[in-house]
Amino acid sequence: MNTQAPLWQHWQLRRDADGLAWLTIDRAGSKVNALSADVLREFNQVLDALQADRPQGLVIRSGKSTGFILGADIDEFGDVRSADDAQALVERGWTTFNRLARAPYPTLALIEGNCLGGGLELALACRYRLVADTPDTALALPEVMLGIFPAWGGMQRLPALIGAPAALDMMLTGRRIDARRAAALGLADARVPVRLLDAAARQQVLSGRARRRARGIGGLLNWRPLRGLVAARARKQVQAKDPLGHYPAPLAIIDTWEKHNGDPLRAREQTARLVQSDTARNLVRVFRLQERLKGVARGEPAVPIRHVHVVGAGVMGGDIAAWCAYKGMSVTLQDRDTALIAPALGRAATLYARRLKDKRAARAALDRLTPDPEGRGVARADLVIEAISEREEVKEALYRSLEPRLKPGALLATNTSSLSLARLRSVLQRPERLVGIHFFNPVAKMPLVEIVTCPGDTPEAGQRAAAFVAQLGKLPLPVHDAPGFLVNAVLAPYLLEAMRCVDEGIAPATIDAALTAFGMPMGPLELADTVGLDIVLDAGKQLTQQAEPPRCLRERTARGDLGKKTGAGFYRWQNGRAQKGQAGTPPTGLAERLVTPLIERTARQVADGVVADADLADAGVIFGTGFAPFTGGPLHYRDNQGGRVRPPGPIEPTLSPNATFTETGRSDP
């Protein structure tokens, strides 16, 4: 017998003849499932119906191809204006999921795709969980990334299920885990091939098996007398990473788990303070900025790139090729000979082994990456990416040789960060087919990719480039052709100011400590060492004009201390790590001094039309440089500092805004 409640917009309930109920969430008017107030209200009505006519078991699944449930409705966070509002928001999900957990019939969450935040908390309230054995299945409690905590039962149920250490790691990092890891942790009862999901769900929910519980040391550490030991260690780790307490959510998670067994209703004041904090508001802003970048590639005709040909197997070109193959594309990688391509293949193999875990999947990814010194893949490629040396005449010669071999409709892209796109494309018969697709190093970790276009371009090439970037799981940022585009342009004065501080006698470790305390993921001098001081200096010579490079930079490059790649720069490097030594007490206002030129340059790029508006500029600088997310972005930070940072005006010559600050290697074909 099938029944359908006509008033339910977001849920469909179907009952089998044997009494098993299948409940599908398919939020109306949305491409994704999110737990809004309306969705939860209807869910309670569903539970009322099931209470009145009890099923043999309940399976909850998604009707969306975009995943299971992506969490709470972020838009409703803006309605929280008081402690009472915060309490009502928490109680809404807490009460509903407790009701699900107490259901007198067995319940199962059938998870395909993303199961995040409130979606995972709903799944945790079920007796069982099965996950689809697919690459896009991911489970996480990412609330900490929004400056809040899992308030709908996650802080209580996750430690009870997988043990305190593993649960705290998930909650404090927001890290996503795949289907394999979920099953290994015990977060899922099993991972199942998609074709067997329905049969497995039926068997599991009617099995009569007891609910899983954490065992061993992880389970024992949930015991109240031992929680303090786990909490103390976790607290120490959090404070080491965030000594100034810019992000209050991690400590709130630890406190609520330790003192209240994960019950946020017993920590009312802390909950309200957290939800209403500036950090939470700014991190929600960052989330929305991220969604806006994702939206750059939405709504356009889907023309997937299946074959990519990359010319230049240096660090950037090789790693771009490796990432494309990792994401399922066929890739041919060209350089002068196979010996130059070999290091890129070695790095790719390391990447796949680390990321994919499964040897067969890693082998398949490596098989998709083909050495092609003769460039035969050009004729088959949907997209050809050039990542060779930053010499205009070399690139132009390459384009002349490539253009006659491109198949109809193929796109040509350059990864340049320091040359004019308008000048480069002038040698082509069809200049509009060349677009800038500017990746950052390391390609596997950096989420942002700049999409560079010229005035007068038709939208087509930029839209196809953005769609390609989205295929790679990256965030496309549209920028106009200008020296340094956005990210490298704003990093230039920031790095220069840090080096001026070294010339004034401030220790590099002290400078970097001031900026990491401010919230940067890496200090400016460690960043310069990582990029390579020769690259920083050479880039500076391009447009410095009357500005003399800092003495500390000239001296180090003159003696061959180029940073990480030579083992010495501003720091000594061992095993890939900077040996910084003890940082001193930074002068008052040092961090503000260094971020001010970065903020001013960001404002100038907006004023000059390099990027469309301040929000996109904030998004680009956050995701391209790691600018402290808790601030909401450099321009948002400036506006909330009472305008103390100077408005855009004439900018003195500095290290070249064309600088390849985020790139460390190229190769000629």
Side-chain angles (χ1 to χ4, degrees):
M1 177 179 68
N2 293 326
T3 62
Q4 173 73 50
L7 298 180
W8 295 340
Q9 293 183 328
H10 311 296
W11 301 88
Q12 293 87 45
L13 181 63
R14 174 176 63 84
R15 293 179 187 261
D16 286 349
D18 59 3
L20 183 62
W22 298 79
L23 179 63
T24 300
I25 177 172
D26 192 357
R27 188 185 182 196
S30 174
K31 294 181 179 179
V32 300
N33 287 324
L35 298 171
S36 65
D38 284 347
V39 171
L40 286 176
R41 182 173 58 252
E42 284 194 359
F43 185 52
N44 275 288
Q45 294 172 5
V46 172
L47 294 177
D48 289 341
L50 295 173
Q51 183 175 334
D53 186 5
R54 184 182 302 180
Q56 293 298 308
L58 173 66
V59 177
I60 303 175
R61 69 189 316 167
S62 168
K64 304 285 190 190
S65 61
T66 50
F68 184 65
I69 300 172
L70 299 188
D73 187 343
I74 299 298
D75 291 338
E76 294 183 353
F77 284 23
D79 298 333
V80 177
R81 304 184 183 280
S82 67
D84 288 341
D85 291 340
Q87 189 75 358
L89 179 65
V90 171
E91 287 181 350
R92 180 190 304 158
W94 176 267
T95 303
T96 300
F97 293 168
N98 276 348
R99 186 179 180 193
L100 175 63
R102 293 194 300 267
Y105 42 84
T107 55
L108 181 144
L110 191 57
I111 299 167
E112 294 184 70
N114 287 319
C115 176
L116 310 176
L120 181 53
E121 291 183 287
L122 184 150
L124 288 168
C126 293
R127 185 181 299 182
Y128 311 115
R129 285 151 300 282
L130 294 182
V131 292
D133 191 10
T134 60
D136 61 344
T137 293
L139 290 75
L141 290 175
E143 286 87 350
V144 69
M145 297 179 179
L146 297 176
I148 56 177
F149 52 30
W152 290 352
M155 286 188 291
Q156 187 174 85
R157 295 189 178 97
L158 187 62
L161 181 64
I162 66 173
L168 284 174
D169 180 70
M170 283 188 65
M171 292 189 292
L172 295 176
T173 65
R175 185 179 295 121
R176 298 187 182 201
I177 62 173
D178 60 15
R180 178 182 294 271
R181 180 65 175 154
L185 281 175
L187 179 52
D189 292 271
R191 58 189 176 100
V192 182
V194 172
R195 69 182 187 280
L196 301 177
L197 281 175
D198 286 7
R202 175 182 296 278
Q203 182 180 35
Q204 180 74 30
V205 80
L206 298 177
S207 67
R209 297 189 185 104
R211 184 189 298 266
R212 278 178 177 262
R213 295 288 180 186
R215 297 181 179 181
I217 297 297
L220 286 175
L221 292 175
N222 283 314
W223 190 38
R224 186 176 182 85
L226 297 180
R227 279 189 221 150
L229 299 175
V230 182
R233 181 180 179 186
R235 212 172 271 118
K236 184 177 180 180
Q237 293 172 336
V238 166
Q239 290 168 341
K241 292 180 179 179
D242 182 25
L244 297 188
H246 293 308
Y247 300 92
L251 292 179
I253 290 171
I254 297 168
D255 288 346
T256 305
W257 171 74
E258 178 192 11
K259 299 172 183 177
H260 306 296
N261 192 29
D263 184 350
L265 299 183
R266 293 162 60 187
R268 178 186 175 102
E269 291 184 5
Q270 177 176 259
T271 301
R273 191 164 55 246
L274 200 65
V275 173
Q276 294 179 277
S277 69
D278 288 340
T279 294
R281 290 192 180 96
N282 286 338
L283 291 179
V284 168
R285 167 181 163 76
V286 172
F287 172 82
R288 290 192 172 116
L289 293 176
Q290 182 178 20
E291 291 301 298
R292 183 175 175 191
L293 291 179
K294 290 179 181 178
V296 170
R298 288 179 186 154
E300 303 301 333
V303 184
I305 301 293
R306 295 184 174 87
H307 185 135
V308 177
H309 182 83
V310 179
V311 184
V315 172
M316 287 303 297
D319 290 0
I320 290 168
W323 189 257
C324 291
Y326 172 73
K327 286 295 183 176
M329 301 171 195
S330 297
V331 183
T332 42
L333 178 57
Q334 180 181 354
D335 215 305
R336 291 191 300 272
D337 57 56
T338 305
L340 293 173
I341 301 174
L345 299 180
R347 292 195 308 275
T350 301
L351 171 70
Y352 303 153
R354 186 176 69 249
R355 290 255 182 174
L356 295 172
K357 311 299 183 187
D358 186 331
K359 291 183 179 180
R360 289 174 299 177
R363 181 71 253 177
L366 197 58
D367 287 344
R368 291 192 291 270
L369 179 57
T370 305
D372 184 17
E374 294 84 12
R376 293 185 179 129
V378 172
R380 304 193 306 272
D382 303 304
L383 169 66
V384 176
I385 301 176
E386 166 269 304
I388 65 174
S389 62
E390 291 291 85
R391 291 156 54 195
E392 189 171 321
E393 68 280 6
V394 176
K395 290 181 185 290
E396 290 175 350
L398 175 65
Y399 299 158
R400 290 190 187 98
S401 70
L402 288 174
E403 186 173 26
R405 299 156 58 199
L406 296 175
K407 72 179 185 180
L411 191 64
L412 178 61
T414 175
N415 188 52
T416 186
S417 64
S418 61
L419 297 176
S420 166
L421 183 65
R423 288 203 306 270
L424 290 175
R425 61 164 48 169
S426 65
V427 302
L428 294 171
Q429 295 296 315
R430 291 182 53 199
E432 72 279 359
R433 77 190 312 170
L434 178 66
V435 65
I437 302 182
H438 180 215
F439 290 83
F440 298 96
N441 190 48
V443 173
K445 292 183 178 180
M446 295 298 290
L448 191 79
V449 178
E450 291 176 320
I451 305 298
V452 189
T453 56
C454 294
D457 274 357
T458 60
E460 181 183 359
Q463 289 167 354
R464 288 190 65 196
F468 163 68
V469 169
Q471 276 184 261
L472 297 180
K474 304 290 187 183
L475 301 173
L477 174 69
V479 294
H480 289 297
D481 187 21
F485 314 132
L486 175 67
V487 173
N488 284 340
V490 306
L491 279 176
Y494 169 67
L495 294 183
L496 177 62
E497 194 66 23
M499 293 177 192
R500 285 176 174 160
C501 290
V502 175
D503 284 352
E504 293 169 13
I506 305 175
T510 300
I511 295 168
D512 280 354
L515 272 296
T516 54
F518 175 81
M520 297 297 197
M522 179 186 292
L525 299 171
E526 184 180 357
L527 174 61
D529 264 7
T530 302
V531 169
L533 301 188
D534 54 335
I535 292 174
V536 174
L537 180 63
D538 288 345
K541 288 178 180 177
Q542 294 176 31
L543 294 180
T544 300
Q545 297 176 5
Q546 69 263 40
E548 184 74 9
R551 184 181 68 255
C552 61
L553 179 61
R554 297 197 313 271
E555 291 175 349
R556 283 168 171 80
T557 54
R559 63 176 181 255
D561 291 341
L562 306 181
K564 184 177 181 180
K565 60 188 172 185
T566 61
F570 286 101
Y571 301 107
R572 293 287 173 185
W573 288 79
Q574 292 180 359
N575 300 320
R577 293 182 177 274
Q579 308 303 303
K580 297 182 181 179
Q582 187 66 37
T585 302
T588 301
L590 179 62
E592 193 76 17
R593 171 184 169 180
L594 266 63
V595 300
T596 294
L598 182 152
I599 295 169
E600 290 177 342
R601 180 72 75 175
T602 305
R604 170 55 62 195
Q605 299 306 93
V606 176
D608 289 347
V610 176
V611 65
D613 55 54
D615 281 351
L616 278 180
D618 276 345
V621 177
I622 290 170
F623 293 109
T625 75
F627 189 90
F630 79 92
T631 66
L635 299 184
H636 186 74
Y637 173 75
R638 176 200 63 182
D639 294 343
N640 284 276
Q641 294 296 303
R644 288 187 304 186
V645 177
R646 296 190 298 274
I651 297 176
E652 63 176 299
T654 67
L655 285 176
S656 167
N658 290 335
T660 328
F661 290 126
T662 47
E663 301 173 26
T664 58
R666 295 179 181 271
S667 177
D668 291 319

